[in-house]
Amino acid sequence: MFNRFMKALVVGAGVATLFAQSPAQADKLDDVIDNGELRCGVVLDFPPIGYRDSNNEPAGFDVEYCQDLAKALEVEAKIIPATWAERLPLIVTNRADVVFGATSDSLARAKTVGFTIPYAIYFAQAIVGKDTGVTTFEDLAGKRVAAAVGTAPEQEYLKIAKQRGWDKDYQGYQSENEVFLAVAQGKADVGLTTNTAVKPVVDQYETVIAGPRMPWTTDYTSVVGPRKDVSWLNYLNLFVTHQVRSGRYAELWGKYVGGDAPELRIPGVMY
């Protein structure tokens, strides 16, 4: 009995010593609060979700989401402009704490970064040159189709294009602004983007009109954070939920996109 008691004391002391020697690990939530700054990666060539206003200041749906998160954390918001291809590297290299960038929550990407529940959904749509005659997806055969590198529209289109032999006419650009300009200038016949971006582009360029919706499924997008920082991702999930419950999500969608905000719940999935 005595020996068992002494062994228990020794084991207990050893565990206590182990915990005492292990430094406390602060997580991303603590870091952001302690630093007094939230670094948000935002794609600024994706109007009206992210863009620069007439004063060259960041604006749009994603920018205000970043500012809302910073306000909830009682810190300052810092917008870090990002291209589509830079979204994940910003998190992996710790140059940003979070990314608001219409990022699809694919299983492949989830090996590298962490995702929240959906905070916005989109469907892919084309913009086309006025004189191209493109009105359906099938009309893309033989056309010069352009998209931003690393985006879901690019990846989904190329799956189909390679099967049909259309990929030889594909053009990849580093930003959506370059895609829009290529179509406007006649360097490309079709530009792939999302439904939210079509109206601003058509309003901006006289040579561009709205094209057909793409045949792949709705794109559910998430806020992105470090993959291993579960407590930070939990906080971000709560933030996304609060934005919906408070009506802020619907308010910002109406302000920047117009109409009713789309339902974020995925059919058959519990969030």
Side-chain angles (χ1 to χ4, degrees), residues 61-265:
F61 180 87
D62 279 350
V63 172
E64 290 212 36
Y65 250 67
C66 170
Q67 293 168 343
D68 285 351
L69 177 58
K71 183 178 179 181
L73 292 165
E74 299 181 332
V75 299
E76 295 295 320
K78 179 180 180 181
I79 303 298
I80 301 175
T83 65
W84 296 108
E86 290 172 336
R87 290 172 297 174
L88 272 58
L90 280 177
I91 294 296
V92 173
T93 59
N94 195 32
R95 287 178 288 156
D97 304 308
V98 66
V99 166
F100 291 95
T103 308
S104 307
D105 55 352
S106 72
L107 291 176
R109 288 172 170 173
K111 296 176 182 178
T112 304
V113 296
F115 292 94
T116 67
I117 58 177
Y119 84 107
I121 65 173
Y122 308 93
F123 61 80
Q125 186 174 353
I127 57 165
V128 302
K130 275 187 175 180
D131 301 324
T132 59
V134 173
T135 59
T136 70
F137 180 74
E138 298 301 325
D139 292 335
L140 270 57
K143 295 295 190 295
R144 297 167 298 169
V145 178
V149 175
T151 60
E154 178 198 52
Q155 294 167 1
E156 294 299 327
Y157 173 73
L158 286 177
K159 289 178 186 177
I160 301 173
K162 288 176 181 177
Q163 293 174 351
R164 301 189 180 189
W166 298 355
D167 54 312
K168 65 181 183 300
D169 298 311
Y170 174 73
Q171 301 175 7
Y173 290 86
Q174 288 302 309
S175 71
E176 286 214 326
N177 279 339
E178 293 176 84
V179 173
F180 303 151
L181 187 60
V183 177
Q185 294 178 341
K187 296 177 181 178
D189 301 309
V190 179
L192 303 183
T193 183
T194 60
N195 56 308
T196 57
V198 171
K199 185 178 184 302
V201 175
V202 170
D203 289 344
Q204 181 178 0
Y205 298 107
E206 293 182 356
T207 56
V208 175
I209 60 175
R213 178 171 176 172
M214 297 296 101
W216 48 87
T217 58
T218 300
D219 188 13
Y220 292 87
T221 67
S222 300
V223 184
V224 183
R227 179 173 61 88
K228 295 182 178 180
D229 205 325
V230 177
S231 61
W232 179 233
L233 293 172
N234 285 341
Y235 185 88
L236 294 176
N237 276 329
L238 182 60
F239 167 73
V240 171
T241 302
H242 184 76
Q243 290 286 90
V244 175
R245 284 201 315 244
S246 67
R248 180 64 170 160
Y249 160 66
E251 176 190 346
L252 290 178
W253 191 269
K255 175 180 178 180
Y256 288 106
V257 181
D260 295 333
E263 174 64 52
L264 294 176
R265 189 182 302 275

